[in-house]
PDB file of all heavy atoms in Angstrom:
ATOM      1  N   THR U   1       0.843  -1.180  -0.027  1.00 96.00           N
ATOM      2  CA  THR U   1       0.022   0.020   0.008  1.00 96.00           C
ATOM      3  C   THR U   1       0.834   1.284  -0.026  1.00 96.00           C
ATOM      4  O   THR U   1       0.592   2.273  -0.712  1.00 96.00           O
ATOM      5  CB  THR U   1      -0.944  -0.009   1.233  1.00 96.00           C
ATOM      6  OG1 THR U   1      -1.808  -1.131   1.143  1.00 96.00           O
ATOM      7  CG2 THR U   1      -1.754   1.263   1.245  1.00 96.00           C
ATOM      8  N   LEU U   2       1.929   1.284   0.763  1.00 97.00           N
ATOM      9  CA  LEU U   2       2.780   2.482   0.802  1.00 97.00           C
ATOM     10  C   LEU U   2       3.489   2.740  -0.443  1.00 97.00           C
ATOM     11  O   LEU U   2       3.604   3.885  -0.944  1.00 97.00           O
ATOM     12  CB  LEU U   2       3.799   2.319   1.971  1.00 97.00           C
ATOM     13  CG  LEU U   2       3.245   2.305   3.420  1.00 97.00           C
ATOM     14  CD1 LEU U   2       4.408   2.145   4.386  1.00 97.00           C
ATOM     15  CD2 LEU U   2       2.505   3.613   3.700  1.00 97.00           C
ATOM     16  N   VAL U   3       3.900   1.628  -1.154  1.00 98.00           N
ATOM     17  CA  VAL U   3       4.526   1.846  -2.463  1.00 98.00           C
ATOM     18  C   VAL U   3       3.541   2.341  -3.492  1.00 98.00           C
ATOM     19  O   VAL U   3       3.768   3.258  -4.273  1.00 98.00           O
ATOM     20  CB  VAL U   3       5.157   0.446  -2.962  1.00 98.00           C
ATOM     21  CG1 VAL U   3       5.548   0.488  -4.405  1.00 98.00           C
ATOM     22  CG2 VAL U   3       6.341   0.096  -2.093  1.00 98.00           C
ATOM     23  N   HIS U   4       2.280   1.778  -3.426  1.00 96.00           N
ATOM     24  CA  HIS U   4       1.232   2.194  -4.290  1.00 96.00           C
ATOM     25  C   HIS U   4       0.897   3.706  -4.076  1.00 96.00           C
ATOM     26  O   HIS U   4       0.812   4.451  -5.033  1.00 96.00           O
ATOM     27  CB  HIS U   4      -0.007   1.315  -4.002  1.00 96.00           C
ATOM     28  CG  HIS U   4      -1.262   1.681  -4.734  1.00 96.00           C
ATOM     29  ND1 HIS U   4      -1.872   0.871  -5.640  1.00 96.00           N
ATOM     30  CD2 HIS U   4      -2.021   2.839  -4.761  1.00 96.00           C
ATOM     31  CE1 HIS U   4      -2.929   1.441  -6.164  1.00 96.00           C
ATOM     32  NE2 HIS U   4      -3.042   2.637  -5.610  1.00 96.00           N
ATOM     33  N   GLU U   5       0.650   4.054  -2.815  1.00 96.00           N
ATOM     34  CA  GLU U   5       0.226   5.420  -2.575  1.00 96.00           C
ATOM     35  C   GLU U   5       1.386   6.364  -2.816  1.00 96.00           C
ATOM     36  O   GLU U   5       1.116   7.577  -3.191  1.00 96.00           O
ATOM     37  CB  GLU U   5      -0.198   5.541  -1.102  1.00 96.00           C
ATOM     38  CG  GLU U   5      -1.487   4.680  -0.782  1.00 96.00           C
ATOM     39  CD  GLU U   5      -2.740   5.024  -1.610  1.00 96.00           C
ATOM     40  OE1 GLU U   5      -2.846   6.160  -2.056  1.00 96.00           O
ATOM     41  OE2 GLU U   5      -3.513   4.122  -1.912  1.00 96.00           O
ATOM     42  N   SER U   6       2.645   5.978  -2.703  1.00 97.00           N
ATOM     43  CA  SER U   6       3.745   6.832  -3.012  1.00 97.00           C
ATOM     44  C   SER U   6       3.718   7.316  -4.450  1.00 97.00           C
ATOM     45  O   SER U   6       4.015   8.452  -4.792  1.00 97.00           O
ATOM     46  CB  SER U   6       5.066   6.140  -2.663  1.00 97.00           C
ATOM     47  OG  SER U   6       5.278   5.991  -1.274  1.00 97.00           O
ATOM     48  N   ALA U   7       3.293   6.340  -5.358  1.00 96.00           N
ATOM     49  CA  ALA U   7       3.180   6.681  -6.740  1.00 96.00           C
ATOM     50  C   ALA U   7       2.178   7.849  -6.937  1.00 96.00           C
ATOM     51  O   ALA U   7       2.439   8.698  -7.799  1.00 96.00           O
ATOM     52  CB  ALA U   7       2.797   5.452  -7.535  1.00 96.00           C
ATOM     53  N   HIS U   8       1.119   7.889  -6.146  1.00 94.00           N
ATOM     54  CA  HIS U   8       0.184   8.987  -6.242  1.00 94.00           C
ATOM     55  C   HIS U   8       0.792  10.299  -5.813  1.00 94.00           C
ATOM     56  O   HIS U   8       0.515  11.349  -6.359  1.00 94.00           O
ATOM     57  CB  HIS U   8      -1.083   8.699  -5.429  1.00 94.00           C
ATOM     58  CG  HIS U   8      -1.829   7.520  -5.935  1.00 94.00           C
ATOM     59  ND1 HIS U   8      -1.997   7.242  -7.265  1.00 94.00           N
ATOM     60  CD2 HIS U   8      -2.609   6.570  -5.350  1.00 94.00           C
ATOM     61  CE1 HIS U   8      -2.708   6.143  -7.429  1.00 94.00           C
ATOM     62  NE2 HIS U   8      -3.090   5.712  -6.248  1.00 94.00           N
ATOM     63  N   THR U   9       1.597  10.240  -4.722  1.00 95.00           N
ATOM     64  CA  THR U   9       2.250  11.464  -4.289  1.00 95.00           C
ATOM     65  C   THR U   9       3.292  11.989  -5.355  1.00 95.00           C
ATOM     66  O   THR U   9       3.516  13.202  -5.387  1.00 95.00           O
ATOM     67  CB  THR U   9       3.024  11.289  -2.960  1.00 95.00           C
ATOM     68  OG1 THR U   9       4.161  10.450  -3.111  1.00 95.00           O
ATOM     69  CG2 THR U   9       2.063  10.718  -1.861  1.00 95.00           C
ATOM     70  N   PHE U  10       3.776  11.060  -6.167  1.00 95.00           N
ATOM     71  CA  PHE U  10       4.733  11.480  -7.231  1.00 95.00           C
ATOM     72  C   PHE U  10       3.961  12.153  -8.424  1.00 95.00           C
ATOM     73  O   PHE U  10       4.565  12.933  -9.187  1.00 95.00           O
ATOM     74  CB  PHE U  10       5.466  10.326  -7.829  1.00 95.00           C
ATOM     75  CG  PHE U  10       6.334   9.561  -6.766  1.00 95.00           C
ATOM     76  CD1 PHE U  10       6.589   8.238  -6.970  1.00 95.00           C
ATOM     77  CD2 PHE U  10       6.766  10.173  -5.604  1.00 95.00           C
ATOM     78  CE1 PHE U  10       7.356   7.521  -6.069  1.00 95.00           C
ATOM     79  CE2 PHE U  10       7.518   9.435  -4.682  1.00 95.00           C
ATOM     80  CZ  PHE U  10       7.807   8.109  -4.920  1.00 95.00           C
ATOM     81  N   GLY U  11       2.686  11.778  -8.568  1.00 94.00           N
ATOM     82  CA  GLY U  11       1.926  12.397  -9.675  1.00 94.00           C
ATOM     83  C   GLY U  11       1.130  11.398 -10.523  1.00 94.00           C
ATOM     84  O   GLY U  11       0.484  11.758 -11.483  1.00 94.00           O
ATOM     85  N   GLN U  12       1.183  10.088 -10.147  1.00 93.00           N
ATOM     86  CA  GLN U  12       0.423   9.076 -10.879  1.00 93.00           C
ATOM     87  C   GLN U  12      -0.998   9.074 -10.359  1.00 93.00           C
ATOM     88  O   GLN U  12      -1.245   9.215  -9.171  1.00 93.00           O
ATOM     89  CB  GLN U  12       1.039   7.744 -10.683  1.00 93.00           C
ATOM     90  CG  GLN U  12       0.525   6.623 -11.625  1.00 93.00           C
ATOM     91  CD  GLN U  12      -0.748   5.910 -11.068  1.00 93.00           C
ATOM     92  OE1 GLN U  12      -1.099   6.057  -9.861  1.00 93.00           O
ATOM     93  NE2 GLN U  12      -1.353   5.084 -11.836  1.00 93.00           N
ATOM     94  N   ILE U  13      -1.983   8.907 -11.252  1.00 90.00           N
ATOM     95  CA  ILE U  13      -3.385   8.773 -10.817  1.00 90.00           C
ATOM     96  C   ILE U  13      -4.048   7.608 -11.513  1.00 90.00           C
ATOM     97  O   ILE U  13      -3.466   7.079 -12.562  1.00 90.00           O
ATOM     98  CB  ILE U  13      -4.154  10.051 -11.166  1.00 90.00           C
ATOM     99  CG1 ILE U  13      -4.158  10.304 -12.713  1.00 90.00           C
ATOM    100  CG2 ILE U  13      -3.659  11.254 -10.453  1.00 90.00           C
ATOM    101  CD1 ILE U  13      -5.013  11.502 -13.202  1.00 90.00           C
ATOM    102  N   HIS U  14      -5.208   7.183 -11.042  1.00 87.00           N
ATOM    103  CA  HIS U  14      -5.965   6.160 -11.731  1.00 87.00           C
ATOM    104  C   HIS U  14      -6.884   6.872 -12.690  1.00 87.00           C
ATOM    105  O   HIS U  14      -7.428   7.973 -12.381  1.00 87.00           O
ATOM    106  CB  HIS U  14      -6.822   5.312 -10.765  1.00 87.00           C
ATOM    107  CG  HIS U  14      -5.983   4.617  -9.754  1.00 87.00           C
ATOM    108  ND1 HIS U  14      -4.894   3.819 -10.079  1.00 87.00           N
ATOM    109  CD2 HIS U  14      -6.064   4.589  -8.379  1.00 87.00           C
ATOM    110  CE1 HIS U  14      -4.362   3.349  -8.974  1.00 87.00           C
ATOM    111  NE2 HIS U  14      -5.051   3.799  -7.923  1.00 87.00           N
ATOM    112  N   ARG U  15      -7.175   6.260 -13.855  1.00 81.00           N
ATOM    113  CA  ARG U  15      -8.049   6.885 -14.858  1.00 81.00           C
ATOM    114  C   ARG U  15      -9.438   6.275 -14.704  1.00 81.00           C
ATOM    115  O   ARG U  15      -9.597   5.049 -14.805  1.00 81.00           O
ATOM    116  CB  ARG U  15      -7.508   6.651 -16.248  1.00 81.00           C
ATOM    117  CG  ARG U  15      -8.237   7.404 -17.336  1.00 81.00           C
ATOM    118  CD  ARG U  15      -7.672   7.251 -18.665  1.00 81.00           C
ATOM    119  NE  ARG U  15      -7.914   5.873 -19.257  1.00 81.00           N
ATOM    120  CZ  ARG U  15      -7.600   5.531 -20.437  1.00 81.00           C
ATOM    121  NH1 ARG U  15      -6.955   6.329 -21.259  1.00 81.00           N
ATOM    122  NH2 ARG U  15      -7.879   4.317 -20.873  1.00 81.00           N
ATOM    123  N   GLY U  16     -10.479   7.122 -14.603  1.00 74.00           N
ATOM    124  CA  GLY U  16     -11.824   6.627 -14.553  1.00 74.00           C
ATOM    125  C   GLY U  16     -12.111   5.867 -13.272  1.00 74.00           C
ATOM    126  O   GLY U  16     -12.071   6.397 -12.225  1.00 74.00           O
ATOM    127  N   SER U  17     -12.368   4.532 -13.449  1.00 71.00           N
ATOM    128  CA  SER U  17     -12.730   3.724 -12.295  1.00 71.00           C
ATOM    129  C   SER U  17     -11.627   3.659 -11.292  1.00 71.00           C
ATOM    130  O   SER U  17     -10.450   3.597 -11.645  1.00 71.00           O
ATOM    131  CB  SER U  17     -13.059   2.304 -12.736  1.00 71.00           C
ATOM    132  OG  SER U  17     -13.237   1.447 -11.665  1.00 71.00           O
ATOM    133  N   GLN U  18     -12.019   3.630 -10.045  1.00 69.00           N
ATOM    134  CA  GLN U  18     -11.039   3.514  -8.928  1.00 69.00           C
ATOM    135  C   GLN U  18     -10.929   2.007  -8.476  1.00 69.00           C
ATOM    136  O   GLN U  18     -10.165   1.705  -7.521  1.00 69.00           O
ATOM    137  CB  GLN U  18     -11.428   4.347  -7.678  1.00 69.00           C
ATOM    138  CG  GLN U  18     -11.424   5.827  -7.937  1.00 69.00           C
ATOM    139  CD  GLN U  18     -10.038   6.335  -8.261  1.00 69.00           C
ATOM    140  OE1 GLN U  18      -9.093   6.174  -7.512  1.00 69.00           O
ATOM    141  NE2 GLN U  18      -9.932   6.997  -9.422  1.00 69.00           N
ATOM    142  N   ARG U  19     -11.636   1.122  -9.133  1.00 76.00           N
ATOM    143  CA  ARG U  19     -11.626  -0.284  -8.765  1.00 76.00           C
ATOM    144  C   ARG U  19     -10.278  -0.900  -9.056  1.00 76.00           C
ATOM    145  O   ARG U  19      -9.701  -0.595 -10.091  1.00 76.00           O
ATOM    146  CB  ARG U  19     -12.681  -1.053  -9.503  1.00 76.00           C
ATOM    147  CG  ARG U  19     -14.100  -0.768  -9.076  1.00 76.00           C
ATOM    148  CD  ARG U  19     -15.123  -1.463  -9.977  1.00 76.00           C
ATOM    149  NE  ARG U  19     -14.728  -2.799 -10.303  1.00 76.00           N
ATOM    150  CZ  ARG U  19     -14.869  -3.370 -11.549  1.00 76.00           C
ATOM    151  NH1 ARG U  19     -15.393  -2.631 -12.499  1.00 76.00           N
ATOM    152  NH2 ARG U  19     -14.445  -4.568 -11.808  1.00 76.00           N
ATOM    153  N   ALA U  20      -9.778  -1.693  -8.070  1.00 76.00           N
ATOM    154  CA  ALA U  20      -8.459  -2.291  -8.207  1.00 76.00           C
ATOM    155  C   ALA U  20      -8.302  -3.070  -9.433  1.00 76.00           C
ATOM    156  O   ALA U  20      -7.330  -3.015 -10.167  1.00 76.00           O
ATOM    157  CB  ALA U  20      -8.132  -3.073  -6.947  1.00 76.00           C
ATOM    158  N   ASP U  21      -9.304  -3.942  -9.733  1.00 77.00           N
ATOM    159  CA  ASP U  21      -9.158  -4.866 -10.892  1.00 77.00           C
ATOM    160  C   ASP U  21      -9.153  -4.145 -12.194  1.00 77.00           C
ATOM    161  O   ASP U  21      -8.671  -4.671 -13.203  1.00 77.00           O
ATOM    162  CB  ASP U  21     -10.205  -5.966 -10.823  1.00 77.00           C
ATOM    163  CG  ASP U  21     -11.597  -5.451 -10.813  1.00 77.00           C
ATOM    164  OD1 ASP U  21     -11.820  -4.136 -10.694  1.00 77.00           O
ATOM    165  OD2 ASP U  21     -12.576  -6.149 -10.916  1.00 77.00           O
ATOM    166  N   ALA U  22      -9.688  -2.946 -12.222  1.00 79.00           N
ATOM    167  CA  ALA U  22      -9.759  -2.162 -13.461  1.00 79.00           C
ATOM    168  C   ALA U  22      -8.390  -1.459 -13.714  1.00 79.00           C
ATOM    169  O   ALA U  22      -8.172  -0.909 -14.749  1.00 79.00           O
ATOM    170  CB  ALA U  22     -10.911  -1.194 -13.429  1.00 79.00           C
ATOM    171  N   ASN U  23      -7.588  -1.365 -12.664  1.00 86.00           N
ATOM    172  CA  ASN U  23      -6.338  -0.639 -12.767  1.00 86.00           C
ATOM    173  C   ASN U  23      -5.066  -1.466 -12.513  1.00 86.00           C
ATOM    174  O   ASN U  23      -4.011  -0.939 -12.205  1.00 86.00           O
ATOM    175  CB  ASN U  23      -6.350   0.543 -11.801  1.00 86.00           C
ATOM    176  CG  ASN U  23      -7.395   1.633 -12.103  1.00 86.00           C
ATOM    177  OD1 ASN U  23      -7.207   2.325 -13.099  1.00 86.00           O
ATOM    178  ND2 ASN U  23      -8.497   1.705 -11.385  1.00 86.00           N
ATOM    179  N   ALA U  24      -5.211  -2.836 -12.503  1.00 93.00           N
ATOM    180  CA  ALA U  24      -4.147  -3.675 -12.157  1.00 93.00           C
ATOM    181  C   ALA U  24      -2.841  -3.439 -12.930  1.00 93.00           C
ATOM    182  O   ALA U  24      -1.725  -3.677 -12.358  1.00 93.00           O
ATOM    183  CB  ALA U  24      -4.564  -5.063 -12.318  1.00 93.00           C
ATOM    184  N   CYS U  25      -2.942  -2.941 -14.095  1.00 96.00           N
ATOM    185  CA  CYS U  25      -1.709  -2.718 -14.977  1.00 96.00           C
ATOM    186  C   CYS U  25      -1.259  -1.249 -14.957  1.00 96.00           C
ATOM    187  O   CYS U  25      -0.400  -0.930 -15.755  1.00 96.00           O
ATOM    188  CB  CYS U  25      -1.902  -3.231 -16.321  1.00 96.00           C
ATOM    189  SG  CYS U  25      -2.038  -5.042 -16.434  1.00 96.00           S
ATOM    190  N   ASP U  26      -1.842  -0.428 -14.078  1.00 95.00           N
ATOM    191  CA  ASP U  26      -1.256   0.924 -14.075  1.00 95.00           C
ATOM    192  C   ASP U  26      -0.134   0.963 -13.073  1.00 95.00           C
ATOM    193  O   ASP U  26       0.145   0.009 -12.327  1.00 95.00           O
ATOM    194  CB  ASP U  26      -2.335   1.984 -13.812  1.00 95.00           C
ATOM    195  CG  ASP U  26      -2.839   2.171 -12.402  1.00 95.00           C
ATOM    196  OD1 ASP U  26      -2.187   1.611 -11.460  1.00 95.00           O
ATOM    197  OD2 ASP U  26      -3.795   2.852 -12.173  1.00 95.00           O
ATOM    198  N   ALA U  27       0.648   2.050 -13.085  1.00 96.00           N
ATOM    199  CA  ALA U  27       1.916   2.045 -12.412  1.00 96.00           C
ATOM    200  C   ALA U  27       1.814   1.840 -10.896  1.00 96.00           C
ATOM    201  O   ALA U  27       2.670   1.095 -10.316  1.00 96.00           O
ATOM    202  CB  ALA U  27       2.652   3.376 -12.659  1.00 96.00           C
ATOM    203  N   ALA U  28       0.876   2.410 -10.232  1.00 96.00           N
ATOM    204  CA  ALA U  28       0.752   2.312  -8.769  1.00 96.00           C
ATOM    205  C   ALA U  28       0.499   0.871  -8.397  1.00 96.00           C
ATOM    206  O   ALA U  28       1.113   0.350  -7.460  1.00 96.00           O
ATOM    207  CB  ALA U  28      -0.361   3.192  -8.281  1.00 96.00           C
ATOM    208  N   TYR U  29      -0.488   0.176  -9.110  1.00 96.00           N
ATOM    209  CA  TYR U  29      -0.749  -1.200  -8.773  1.00 96.00           C
ATOM    210  C   TYR U  29       0.383  -2.206  -9.135  1.00 96.00           C
ATOM    211  O   TYR U  29       0.682  -3.067  -8.407  1.00 96.00           O
ATOM    212  CB  TYR U  29      -2.062  -1.669  -9.373  1.00 96.00           C
ATOM    213  CG  TYR U  29      -3.312  -1.273  -8.618  1.00 96.00           C
ATOM    214  CD1 TYR U  29      -4.034  -0.167  -8.994  1.00 96.00           C
ATOM    215  CD2 TYR U  29      -3.641  -1.949  -7.480  1.00 96.00           C
ATOM    216  CE1 TYR U  29      -5.208   0.197  -8.247  1.00 96.00           C
ATOM    217  CE2 TYR U  29      -4.816  -1.597  -6.719  1.00 96.00           C
ATOM    218  CZ  TYR U  29      -5.527  -0.492  -7.124  1.00 96.00           C
ATOM    219  OH  TYR U  29      -6.618  -0.116  -6.343  1.00 96.00           O
TER     220      TYR U  29
END
């Protein structure tokens, strides 16, 4: 979780849905 959320503090965001399975291949996940 800390690694994932750190990506958001750097400037990465999820696009559209916030569901984990819809974003499994984005950088934070």
Side-chain angles (χ1 to χ4, degrees):
T1 298
L2 293 179
V3 169
H4 176 118
E5 299 300 331
S6 290
H8 295 326
T9 69
F10 303 154
Q12 190 273 352
I13 61 174
H14 301 309
R15 187 178 74 174
S17 173
Q18 296 296 304
R19 287 175 42 221
D21 56 355
N23 291 290
C25 292
D26 79 10
Y29 276 103

